[in-house]
Amino acid sequence: MYTLIDSADLKAIKKIYEFFPIDGVTTNPSILKNAGTNPMERLKEIRAFMPHGAQLHVQTVSLTAAEIIKEAEHILKELGENTYIKIPVFDQGIKAMKLLHQMGINITATAIYTPMQAFIAAKAGASFVAPYVNRLDNVGFDGVEIARLIHDILTRHNMDTMVLAASFKNTQQVLNLCEHGIGAITASPSVLEQLINHQMTESAIEDFTNDFFSVAGEDKTMLDL
Ligand code: G3P
């Protein structure tokens, strides 16, 4: 399961990258707004920091297919290969996906709330489709279930498209999709950090350390023996 950071906070991205096995970064216009700086400059900083080959997902904001394609070309020129053009699912967006796919450009269909939006985007050539799990929960649907259904539909139709589940509020939502074999998730730094936190683990580490010190001496490690 590809695991991406849904953030444009460079400090937070660097921290997560230091400790976690991460495949890239996803952004959207709201995330870039929260970063509080020039969006393209920040995206370039993220690209420059990430390891070679990491995915960077960047969203277009134009409302016609022709303009979306121009934006996509500009984004790729500025940010280089392994940049995925995120396009919301609406008629002009789907038209742009079809054309960009023919041009060999990587596409992530985003703002997905229904399985059929995902299916049509996949058929139009999207490599990833991004259902908004928690936002679905917030409006009375089961976001995890919809993301699972999309995964099953894509699998049954042998489509060359993965679910990139987005919009998580908690680790349980991530677990439920991981268990289902979903292709990719993107989550905020705080949700990612929670994936490895457990009070019992911290307590076990503390006990092991104290036991070792009691037998080998304070602040000793195996290197001292
Ligand atoms: O990329 C889409 C995703 O960022 C939405 O997440 O947390 O704003 O619902 P959220």
Side-chain angles (χ1 to χ4, degrees), residues 5 7-17 25 46 49:
I5 311 171
S7 175
D9 177 339
L10 194 58
K11 202 171 150 202
I13 290 170
K14 286 181 176 176
K15 186 174 170 213
I16 295 291
Y17 249 104
V25 167
I46 294 169
F49 164 73

Side-chain angles (χ1 to χ4, degrees), residues 161-217:
T161 305
M162 280 185 194
V163 172
L164 167 56
S167 177
F168 289 100
K169 190 181 177 190
N170 59 58
T171 56
Q172 189 66 32
Q173 293 164 329
V174 179
L175 165 65
N176 290 340
L177 290 178
C178 186
E179 177 263 340
H180 201 68
I182 224 89
I185 64 108
T186 184
S188 66
S190 60
V191 168
L192 291 172
E193 278 173 349
Q194 284 305 318
L195 293 178
I196 63 160
N197 284 347
H198 201 291
Q199 212 179 341
M200 292 299 287
T201 306
E202 283 168 25
S203 164
I205 292 168
E206 196 180 331
D207 289 346
F208 289 140
T209 307
N210 289 335
D211 285 345
F212 191 82
F213 288 169
S214 71
V215 69

Side-chain angles (χ1 to χ4, degrees), residues 104-118:
I105 290 171
N106 293 323
I107 301 153
T108 299
T110 193
I112 287 179
Y113 286 83
T114 74
M116 287 317 295
Q117 288 177 326

Side-chain angles (χ1 to χ4, degrees), residues 40 44 47 54 56 58 72-85 106:
M40 189 56 84
K44 284 182 181 172
R47 171 56 85 201
L56 179 59
V58 180
E73 288 172 326
H74 179 69
I75 289 167
L76 287 169
K77 183 166 71 69
E78 297 295 318
L79 298 169
E81 58 187 41
N82 295 315
T83 300
Y84 286 71
I85 305 299
N106 293 323

Side-chain angles (χ1 to χ4, degrees), residues 6-7 26-28 30-31 59 86 110-111 113 130-135 138 166-169 186 188:
D6 203 22
S7 175
T26 56
T27 61
N28 64 33
S30 306
I31 286 172
Q59 195 161 323
K86 280 179 84 180
T110 193
Y113 286 83
Y132 283 2
V133 175
N134 197 63
R135 291 193 194 195
N138 286 345
S167 177
F168 289 100
K169 190 181 177 190
T186 184
S188 66

